[in-house]
Amino acid sequence: MEALTFPRYSPDDIVTYLRGHLLAGAEARGLTKADLFANPKPEVLHMIFMRILQKVYGIRLEHFYMMPVNVEIMYPQIFEGFLPVCNLYIHMERFLPVCRVNDFQIADVINPKAKRTARFLSGILNFVHFRESRCETYLELQMNYKLAMEKHQQLETANQEAAVKLEKLNTVPVEQQAEFKQLSDDIQELEQLLSHDYRRKTAAFQEVISQKKSDITERTRKLNELKVIMATFKEEQEHLKSKIVESPEEMKNYMELMKETVNRLKKSKEEVIEKYEGYRDLVEALPACQSEVQLYQKKMERQEKNMEILASVLSEVRNLEDQLESAQIELKKGKTDEVSLKRLVTAKHERLSTAEIRIEKKREDVEQYKQSVLEYCNRVQEKRGAVYDKVTAIHNEIQQTRFKIQQLNENAENEEMKAKEIYLNLKAGLEKRHDSLIKTAKNYAASREDKIAELKKGLLSIQSPGSSS
């Protein structure tokens, strides 16, 4: 048992934790270190175990005084004093294997030892700390899940509102449907006319432009040819200058040739300028066409205004679509968060299922141990039944003796009554006898006195004649 899976806490730490987190009021103030470790008091330990079970499992105080229903007990009054201790032992025997304590016995409740109670309380405190941390993480996951669900609901409501707005924008009111149809028909007609005119004019302009481009390409080709010829002439001139000794006559001839070529180039340039002026005259003839184009431009402006209205509607639609897309993105994020939370919850459930499997195994072991304890209790119950039979026999004998004593008391009372009657009769007889004796004594005394008086008289009479003689 030395290779523990939980740390050992010092007695001071255990006492401070019990005072600060488990007990309250007079219980916390009255708890001392000597009550648990120097000389453990069973009643204090029972109180701490009950508070721990109340905190972890929510067991109320009256549950410890309830008789078990799943076992048939013939004489429940026998268990009245032992019932709270037995229920406390049963609950602690189920709870302590969860805290990695597997050697808990009933002697630890009835006659606790300091070292074992310190180890049990260390395991319980370690489990309580672990339970509090897991509860915090579970509450955080629950809060995150609730927030995600609220956000999901908000996004769904926003999505529904945006869909309603889109339907409102897409549906034209009944009052404006005729005008909308007329405007759309006019816009289509204008578009067709403008597109037809634009195509016709663009085709004519493209033909003119293609002709001009072809002329320009021919002129550029001729200019390029002349440039090439000039370059070849320059190369030949440089080559000849390097080979031939220059003379003034040759230079003059060469200069005349160059002048002739320059004159030819000037003539070609003048021709190009003349053609350019002819093209400019053609371009100046365009204002007549521009008036028509302005009319078409006015029509196009009207169409542009209508298109701007449509564009504003389309922009609102696009904004709503963007809002929908953002809402859908947030929904996807919420769904991913929800999936991650569900994965975490499933992982927690798997861990809980594994823990429940272990707990079930422990419960099976506990049930087997409980069955053995119940068999032992049944044996004890049988022995107690025999003892109870003996006790009932003794109780019957006691009742019989009590009945006999009662009868004897009644007989004694009767004899006493009779003796009292005899005593009263005797007393009355004695009183009568005493009265008769008193009367006889009085009569005797009176007769005696009479006799004495007579004797005195007789003596006096006898003495008187003697004196006279």
Side-chain angles (χ1 to χ4, degrees):
M1 296 305 296
E2 293 297 328
L4 297 174
T5 57
F6 55 86
R8 287 285 187 91
Y9 290 94
S10 64
D12 295 328
D13 293 335
I14 292 169
V15 171
T16 53
Y17 182 82
L18 292 175
R19 285 177 180 171
H21 297 86
L22 195 65
L23 303 176
E27 294 178 353
R29 289 192 297 272
L31 182 66
T32 59
K33 186 177 177 182
D35 294 337
L36 295 174
F37 300 104
N39 189 9
K41 294 180 180 179
E43 59 272 11
V44 177
L45 193 64
H46 295 173
M47 178 185 68
I48 291 166
F49 285 163
M50 286 180 183
R51 293 291 181 266
I52 289 166
L53 291 170
Q54 286 176 4
K55 184 176 182 180
V56 176
Y57 290 125
I59 299 170
R60 291 181 291 183
L61 188 63
E62 58 266 20
H63 291 168
F64 294 100
Y65 296 91
M66 288 182 181
M67 190 69 69
V69 185
N70 56 358
V71 180
E72 186 177 359
I73 297 169
M74 294 178 66
Y75 305 104
Q77 60 269 18
I78 299 170
F79 290 90
E80 287 180 357
F82 185 68
L83 189 61
V85 178
C86 184
N87 285 327
L88 180 64
Y89 169 69
I90 290 166
H91 289 300
M92 290 302 294
E93 191 183 14
R94 291 177 183 174
F95 171 60
L96 284 172
V98 180
C99 303
R100 301 296 186 211
V101 177
N102 298 313
D103 59 344
F104 186 73
Q105 299 174 359
I106 196 166
D108 297 322
V109 179
I110 298 169
N111 188 14
K113 303 295 181 182
K115 290 183 180 179
R116 290 176 68 83
T117 52
R119 187 163 63 83
F120 296 156
L121 290 172
S122 298
I124 289 166
L125 292 183
N126 185 24
F127 176 75
V128 169
H129 289 309
F130 173 75
R131 180 176 174 273
E132 288 175 354
S133 63
R134 293 299 94 193
C135 285
E136 288 177 358
T137 54
Y138 181 74
L139 290 171
E140 287 178 359
L141 287 171
Q142 192 175 7
M143 288 296 294
N144 291 324
Y145 182 73
K146 286 182 180 178
L147 292 172
M149 290 299 292
E150 289 176 357
K151 193 173 183 181
H152 180 70
Q153 290 177 357
Q154 290 177 359
L155 292 172
E156 282 184 350
T157 53
N159 193 0
Q160 291 175 358
E161 290 176 356
V164 171
K165 288 181 180 179
L166 275 174
E167 288 179 357
K168 286 181 180 179
L169 291 170
N170 289 324
T171 56
V172 181
V174 179
E175 297 175 354
Q176 297 178 359
Q177 280 182 357
E179 187 177 358
F180 182 77
K181 286 181 181 179
Q182 187 176 0
L183 287 171
S184 61
D185 294 332
D186 294 334
I187 288 164
Q188 287 178 358
E189 289 178 358
L190 287 171
E191 284 178 353
Q192 289 176 358
L193 291 171
L194 290 170
S195 62
H196 183 70
D197 293 333
Y198 180 73
R199 287 173 186 173
R200 183 173 58 78
K201 289 183 179 180
T202 50
F205 281 117
Q206 282 177 359
E207 288 178 357
V208 175
I209 289 164
S210 62
Q211 290 178 359
K212 300 299 180 184
K213 283 181 179 179
S214 63
D215 294 334
I216 290 164
T217 52
E218 288 178 359
R219 296 297 178 185
T220 52
R221 185 174 58 79
K222 289 180 181 180
L223 286 171
N224 290 323
E225 288 177 356
L226 291 172
K227 286 179 181 179
V228 171
I229 291 165
M230 287 292 292
T232 53
F233 282 148
K234 285 182 180 179
E235 288 177 357
E236 288 177 357
Q237 184 179 2
E238 289 176 355
H239 184 67
L240 291 171
K241 279 183 180 178
S242 62
K243 289 182 177 181
I244 300 167
V245 180
E246 293 181 355
S247 62
E249 293 178 357
E250 290 177 354
M251 285 294 292
K252 285 180 181 179
N253 293 323
Y254 181 73
M255 289 297 290
E256 287 177 357
L257 289 170
M258 291 297 290
K259 286 179 181 179
E260 288 176 358
T261 53
V262 168
N263 291 322
R264 278 186 290 174
L265 289 171
K266 285 181 178 179
K267 287 179 181 179
S268 64
K269 187 177 180 181
E270 288 175 356
E271 290 176 357
V272 169
I273 289 165
E274 288 176 356
K275 287 181 179 180
Y276 173 73
E277 288 177 354
Y279 291 141
R280 189 176 63 188
D281 294 332
L282 290 172
V283 170
E284 288 177 355
L286 288 173
C289 296
Q290 286 180 355
S291 62
E292 294 179 359
V293 171
Q294 285 177 359
L295 293 173
Y296 288 119
Q297 281 179 354
K298 289 178 181 179
K299 292 180 181 180
M300 288 294 289
E301 286 176 357
R302 293 175 185 173
Q303 189 178 3
E304 282 177 358
K305 289 179 181 178
N306 294 322
M307 290 299 287
E308 284 177 357
I309 295 166
L310 288 171
S312 63
V313 173
L314 290 171
S315 64
E316 290 180 358
V317 172
R318 286 173 184 172
N319 291 323
L320 292 170
E321 287 177 352
D322 294 332
Q323 290 178 1
L324 279 171
E325 288 177 356
S326 62
Q328 287 176 356
I329 291 164
E330 289 179 356
L331 275 172
K332 288 179 181 178
K333 289 180 180 178
K335 286 180 180 179
T336 52
D337 294 332
E338 186 179 358
V339 170
S340 62
L341 289 170
K342 283 182 179 177
R343 288 176 181 173
L344 290 171
V345 170
T346 51
K348 295 290 181 184
H349 283 302
E350 289 176 357
R351 292 178 184 174
L352 286 171
S353 62
T354 53
E356 285 177 355
I357 291 164
R358 292 177 183 173
I359 290 164
E360 285 179 358
K361 289 181 181 177
K362 296 290 182 183
R363 283 179 182 173
E364 289 176 357
D365 297 333
V366 169
E367 290 293 332
Q368 291 177 358
Y369 182 71
K370 192 191 291 182
Q371 287 177 359
S372 63
V373 171
L374 287 172
E375 289 175 357
Y376 180 73
C377 289
N378 290 324
R379 292 174 188 173
V380 173
Q381 185 67 29
E382 290 175 357
K383 291 179 182 179
R384 285 182 179 178
V387 171
Y388 184 74
D389 292 333
K390 291 179 181 179
V391 170
T392 52
I394 293 164
H395 185 69
N396 292 323
E397 289 177 359
I398 290 165
Q399 286 180 353
Q400 288 176 2
T401 53
R402 284 179 181 174
F403 182 71
K404 288 178 181 179
I405 289 163
Q406 192 174 1
Q407 285 180 352
L408 290 171
N409 287 324
E410 288 177 355
N411 293 325
E413 286 177 356
N414 292 323
E415 293 292 332
E416 188 178 357
M417 292 294 290
K418 289 178 182 180
K420 282 182 180 180
E421 288 178 357
I422 293 164
Y423 173 74
L424 291 171
N425 292 323
L426 290 170
K427 188 176 180 182
L430 285 171
E431 286 177 354
K432 288 179 181 180
R433 184 67 179 170
H434 285 190
D435 292 333
S436 64
L437 286 171
I438 289 164
K439 286 178 181 180
T440 55
K442 286 179 179 180
N443 292 323
Y444 178 74
S447 64
R448 186 181 177 185
E449 287 176 356
D450 291 336
K451 286 178 180 182
I452 289 167
E454 288 177 357
L455 287 172
K456 283 180 178 181
K457 287 177 181 181
L459 288 170
L460 289 171
S461 66
I462 291 167
Q463 288 177 0
S464 62
S467 62
S468 63
S469 59

